[in-house]
Amino acid sequence: MHKSKLAGFIIDCQGPELASAAGFWGGALGMELRALPPDEADSYVQLEDPLGALHIEVQAVTHPSRVHLDIETDDIEAEVRRLEQLGATRIGAVHTWVVMQAPTGQRFCVVRVQRADFAAKANTWTE
């Protein structure tokens, strides 16, 4: 048995100006920017969801700009297997998460638990 739920969205931005991209998306969504630790600050800026429901980041990337979602789980391998049974394809592992592709072509990531209220709000899956 494991749990999972939508963690949030990552706004992938191709180009050298992460700060200006984050400034645009923060203004567009009405969200404050939050600096991340130095080892992440060159690649990510977090946007603070005023409701605290979603984890939203702007990410510097080398591929074309797009938006992808993250699914958080307490068991990454079990969640990847569940999603593969639904038709998703494992693309590869990056750091602690797994990049996947939906049968319809969209990329998404399966990540570790992001929120303190995860256990209370997540779906429970039996294997």
Side-chain angles (χ1 to χ4, degrees), residues 18-36:
L18 178 62
S20 64
F24 168 79
W25 285 108
L29 300 173
M31 296 181 176
E32 297 292 323
L33 306 183
R34 183 169 84 80
L36 293 174

Side-chain angles (χ1 to χ4, degrees), residues 8 16 21 43 47-49 54 56 75 83 88 90 105 117 123:
S43 299
L47 303 181
E48 291 289 337
D49 175 8
L54 295 173
I56 303 171
D75 187 333
L83 294 164
R90 183 189 307 235
D117 62 354
N123 297 299

Side-chain angles (χ1 to χ4, degrees), residues 46-99:
Q46 186 169 349
L47 303 181
E48 291 289 337
D49 175 8
L51 300 176
L54 295 173
H55 180 90
I56 303 171
E57 290 182 350
V58 177
Q59 171 180 254
V61 297
T62 57
H63 60 71
S65 296
R66 62 183 177 220
V67 176
H68 77 265
L69 62 87
D70 284 353
I71 296 173
E72 66 183 311
T73 182
D74 56 2
D75 187 333
I76 289 177
E77 283 304 313
E79 182 65 1
V80 167
R81 285 190 306 272
R82 184 183 79 81
L83 294 164
E84 287 173 328
Q85 289 174 352
L86 292 172
T89 304
R90 183 189 307 235
I91 301 300
V94 179
H95 302 290
T96 60
W97 60 91
V98 174
V99 179

